[in-house]
Amino acid sequence: MTPSVRDGASLVGRTEEGRRFAPPADLAAAANVTAAAYEQADADRLGFWAEQARRLTWATEPAETLDWSNPPFARWFADGELNVAYNCVDRHVEAGHGDRIALYFEGEPGDSRAISYAELKDEVSRAANALTELGVTQGDRVAVYLPMIPEAVVAMLACARIGAPHSVIFGGFSADAVASRIADADAKLVITADGGYRRGKPSALKPVVDAAVARTPQVERVLVVRRTGQDVAWDDTRDVWWQEIVGRQSAAHTPEPFGAEHPLFILYTSGTTGKPKGILHTSGGYLTQTGYTHHAVFDLKPETDVYWCTADIGWITGHSYIVYGPLANGATQVLYEGTPDTPHRGRFWEIVQKYGVTLLYTAPTAVRTFMKWGDDIPARFDLSSLRVLGSVGEPINPEAWVWYREHIGAGRAPVVDTWWQTETGAMMISPLPGVTVTKPGSAQVPLPGIAATVVDDEAREVPAGSDGYLVLTEPWPSMLRTVWGDDQRYLDTYWSRFPGRYFAGDGARKDEDGDIRLLGRVDDVMLVSGHNISTAEVESALVSHPEVAEAAVVGAADATTGQAVVAFVILRGSAEDGGRAGAGGPGLDAELRDHVGRTLGPIAKPRRILTVPELPKTRSGKIMRRLLRDIAENRELGDVTTLTDSSVMDLIRSGLPAAP
Ligand code: WTA
């Protein structure tokens, strides 16, 4: 990165909230993981992971930890054998915890179900028997396209139980996206539902699968969960009701052990360009690291904690921190089907209060939305059970981090900002709640057993106080093994930019203490007059202004400066309550520009500030800067199919003044 960023003291460090938060004494005293874990892992990294692997139950204990003889193709615990579903379900029942609740399901319309580990074991066994009856065998791929209902968890575990890798496709994707994923993975069976509930209405899923399957001849059968009871088209030779076939199976099923490197699942990353990448994860290493990190970062006490991850099962966060990590640890957790504002904007807090949730895992975009809705909403609920608050998915700006701690965590619960990716499979950089003195908006330290650093363009480690690229310098147990069917793409995408090191695609700063602060995707770094300015940094500065609720910043092409900073802002106090939203005006624009100038330095001042009612987001909550760039550069809009709501773009455009 250019030295100007480092040199310009005005640019560096000013958005960083100066406050530090030590772990609560009671949490630290009883923490699952202490500072000793870092020492142990530093002294013997592989020995450390071998010990974490022993948290699992193996049919054959692995003698070998890592085989790195053909880098970057890793094999972890390769001579060990285990059954992932047995580890997530049966062993807890065998240990006498069959009555413990595994899932508190909360449907959007208000229906609820509590499912114990014993019941989950029976249901997973029946589903495994049903898959076998439908001709699915070890190694076959199964596509899963379901809402956030218990059957989604059961379906994934049933696949794992019989060694059939699943490919979960987010329930909001279109028929095109479903068809291309089915075809790429060559799936022979699809598990779906008639529909799910979203924003107070049944929303159909099966018609999407019908359209996709019409184009994917490899699909032999479609298994359909009845959730909403809505009408569906039916093909007698192909479709079968889940309740019918699973319901009549025996609850006895012997889980067969598979090699630790047996494929567990494929998950497609929402590609920014081109064909989506099928990220391949395998069994033993993946379960070791998801289980360990969930135990360490959430400090899970399975007997007393109630954990809730608000992600969708269709994303990696749902795979690793709803299904595999928590269940491997015998956690009790909430599974919520719907949206945070249905039927009212306090729904999340009502759920926390109802179940006494102690550990919450959500995304910065959700936190900022709650900020925007107002402090008074969470204040109406009893959130005193909460003791650890997790964040994942994008850099969390210090403002939102502090709000989360204050208004959700009563100024007491530690915030753990967890950096990781679909590709890493599990958390990589995060504070430990009983150890780390946290800094607002920073993921800070690689977890024990993880090696990460920040390098410059020439792959040299940057000194403290500098920006560069985040790289992972040693293999880790839950790393992707390849891109499904495309080893070359695996090499090119992740291992060619810095030979011998994994390139994450994220910009990062090594702060004065040597801690890592994530700056957003490298493609989100703007280059203005030769200065690297991260979009996240300017967004953070804007959001620290009392009038701004949310901001998205893009670099628009500029003939003289290379790129110019263009900011899209949502003002605080929504239109409904007669706030300044939508008003903006030259006075405020100048004020915001000055505010950014004061916070970050004049170079970071936005050239244009556009006040908008909404921001375009992908279904996983990431701001689609590409579309904002299209607007900022007065172009036709590109592909909007991955947006949650494509009308957002019309809304944004219609309210804007003509471009200068
Ligand atoms: C971003 C989600 C900053 C990052 C688990 C990464 C983050 C991408 C954080 C992966 C965080 C995720 N701080 N950035 N705590 N967590 N990211 O594959 O840019 O959906 O590369 O995995 O999200 O997104 P993915």
Side-chain angles (χ1 to χ4, degrees):
M1 303 223 151
T2 51
S4 48
V5 176
R6 297 197 275 279
D7 298 347
S10 58
L11 255 181
V12 173
R14 300 272 292 267
T15 51
E16 292 179 20
E17 183 20 280
R19 281 184 283 173
R20 300 292 176 261
F21 300 93
D26 54 340
L27 197 159
N32 287 349
V33 174
T34 66
Y38 296 107
E39 287 159 34
Q40 188 199 345
D42 284 348
D44 178 8
R45 207 174 63 83
L46 294 183
F48 170 83
W49 283 120
E51 185 178 319
Q52 305 321 320
R54 286 193 285 274
R55 301 180 71 250
L56 303 179
T57 305
W58 296 80
T60 309
E61 291 270 340
E64 180 178 69
T65 301
L66 170 66
D67 173 1
W68 194 235
S69 58
N70 179 30
F73 296 93
R75 292 167 59 78
W76 284 86
F77 313 114
D79 60 349
E81 289 190 314
L82 80 172
N83 184 288
V84 168
Y86 170 86
N87 272 274
C88 292
V89 183
D90 305 45
R91 65 170 179 152
H92 307 310
V93 179
E94 288 170 15
H97 307 309
D99 291 341
R100 185 186 295 161
I101 299 302
L103 299 172
Y104 282 117
F105 170 66
E106 183 79 9
E108 200 193 69
D111 55 323
S112 62
R113 278 163 74 185
I115 301 170
S116 69
Y117 271 95
E119 289 165 336
L120 186 61
K121 173 175 178 284
D122 288 353
E123 199 59 15
V124 171
S125 299
R126 284 195 197 96
N129 284 325
L131 292 178
T132 304
E133 183 184 317
L134 291 171
V136 180
T137 58
Q138 173 183 350
D140 288 342
R141 272 82 60 201
V142 174
V144 176
Y145 185 70
L146 283 171
M148 285 285 288
I149 54 177
E151 287 77 6
V153 178
V154 172
M156 290 163 76
L157 291 171
C159 288
R161 195 171 182 97
I162 63 170
H166 52 70
S167 165
V168 180
I169 304 167
F170 175 62
F173 276 133
S174 64
D176 276 350
V178 175
S180 65
R181 285 161 175 76
I182 290 174
D184 188 74
D186 200 23
K188 66 190 281 189
L189 182 107
V190 182
I191 307 179
T192 188
D194 48 1
Y197 291 97
R198 239 186 126 63
R199 299 196 188 283
K201 296 193 293 279
S203 144
L205 289 175
K206 181 148 188 301
V208 178
V209 170
D210 290 340
V213 166
R215 278 178 267 161
T216 50
Q218 58 269 75
V219 173
E220 295 164 12
R221 308 303 291 266
V222 176
L223 189 48
V224 188
V225 178
R226 197 194 306 271
R227 165 66 181 141
T228 58
Q230 64 203 115
D231 284 341
V232 290
W234 201 256
D235 174 342
D236 278 325
T237 57
R238 187 195 67 194
D239 301 340
V240 30
W241 286 111
W242 169 283
Q243 276 85 350
E244 188 276 308
I245 191 169
V246 173
R248 65 172 159 75
Q249 302 295 320
S250 155
H253 182 272
T254 308
E256 189 190 327
F258 300 103
E261 284 297 338
H262 187 74
L264 181 61
F265 65 85
I266 302 165
L267 182 59
Y268 289 84
T269 51
S270 50
T272 38
T273 50
K275 179 172 166 240
K277 297 185 286 270
I279 302 301
L280 177 68
H281 284 290
T282 60
S283 305
Y286 173 81
L287 200 63
T288 295
Q289 191 174 331
T290 51
Y292 172 71
T293 51
H294 182 255
H295 160 85
V297 172
F298 283 104
D299 189 46
L300 175 85
K301 310 285 197 261
E303 302 78 20
T304 48
D305 276 317
V306 178
Y307 164 80
W308 181 23
C309 169
T310 68
D312 192 278
I313 224 116
W315 310 117
I316 192 67
T317 307
H319 284 58
S320 300
Y321 296 104
I322 294 176
V323 182
Y324 294 109
L327 295 178
N329 290 335
T332 293
Q333 66 179 316
V334 172
L335 184 74
Y336 174 54
E337 178 184 33
T339 47
D341 55 355
T342 307
H344 58 80
R345 290 175 166 182
R347 186 69 190 267
F348 269 29
W349 317 123
E350 186 179 72
I351 292 173
V352 168
Q353 176 178 283
K354 174 173 176 185
Y355 293 104
V357 172
T358 57
L359 313 171
L360 179 67
Y361 199 20
T362 194
T365 179
V367 175
R368 287 193 297 265
T369 302
F370 298 135
M371 277 175 82
K372 187 166 69 188
W373 288 346
D375 305 351
D376 54 316
I377 296 175
R380 279 182 224 137
F381 298 88
D382 178 6
L383 308 181
S384 62
S385 53
L386 287 168
R387 64 182 199 91
V388 181
L389 304 175
S391 172
V392 61
E394 55 177 319
I396 179 163
N397 48 297
E399 234 59 40
W401 191 105
V402 169
W403 186 90
Y404 194 23
R405 188 184 153 93
E406 295 294 320
H407 293 275
I408 306 303
R412 169 182 40 84
V415 174
V416 285
D417 174 16
T418 64
W419 179 88
W420 58 292
Q421 309 176 292
T422 304
E423 292 87 340
T424 69
M427 297 169 186
M428 301 293 282
I429 304 178
S430 170
L432 287 176
V435 179
T436 315
V437 176
T438 51
K439 301 174 179 177
S442 179
Q444 291 181 263
V445 270
L447 286 164
I450 299 300
T453 192
V454 182
V455 298
D456 66 15
D457 275 305
E458 277 76 52
R460 289 178 303 234
E461 267 192 51
V462 303
S466 316
D467 294 354
Y469 306 100
L470 180 71
V471 291
L472 304 170
T473 55
E474 297 287 351
W476 62 100
S478 63
M479 66 193 281
L480 75 165
R481 296 308 193 254
T482 189
V483 173
W484 181 256
D486 199 346
D487 287 349
Q488 194 56 46
R489 196 165 176 199
Y490 170 63
L491 295 170
D492 294 345
T493 311
Y494 305 106
W495 298 93
S496 64
R497 178 73 180 79
F498 302 108
R501 287 162 169 194
Y502 173 91
F503 174 47
D506 281 18
R509 167 177 309 151
K510 196 190 269 182
D511 74 14
E512 298 300 340
D513 306 321
D515 285 349
I516 297 174
R517 177 180 293 264
L518 278 304
L519 298 175
R521 301 294 301 173
V522 169
D523 47 19
D524 290 340
V525 171
M526 300 170 288
L527 203 61
V528 182
S529 305
H531 299 268
N532 283 288
I533 300 168
S534 106
T535 51
E537 199 164 35
V538 179
E539 286 163 10
S540 181
L542 284 165
V543 177
S544 74
H545 187 280
E547 296 258 19
V548 177
E550 192 160 7
V553 166
V554 297
D558 184 283
T560 42
T561 56
Q563 284 189 308
V565 180
V566 177
F568 294 77
V569 298
I570 301 179
L571 298 182
R572 238 183 235 257
S574 57
E576 291 118 80
D577 45 66
R580 234 167 126 173
L588 182 62
D589 287 4
E591 192 179 315
L592 291 179
R593 248 193 298 275
D594 285 347
H595 177 73
V596 173
R598 274 196 306 276
T599 322
L600 288 173
I603 186 71
K605 276 191 184 181
R607 171 88 44 92
R608 290 168 72 196
I609 294 187
L610 303 168
T611 305
V612 293
E614 284 293 346
L615 291 169
K617 288 184 186 153
T618 64
R619 296 182 169 104
S620 63
K622 292 196 204 320
I623 292 170
M624 289 193 75
R625 291 203 175 69
R626 178 169 57 78
L627 295 179
L628 294 176
R629 227 174 279 130
D630 289 347
I631 291 189
E633 300 179 352
N634 308 311
R635 256 197 313 276
E636 277 297 294
L637 286 187
D639 179 25
V640 294
T641 53
T642 56
L643 274 181
T644 30
D645 176 4
S646 54
S647 64
V648 164
M649 295 311 292
D650 300 329
L651 200 62
I652 293 174
R653 280 216 150 148
S654 63
L656 294 179

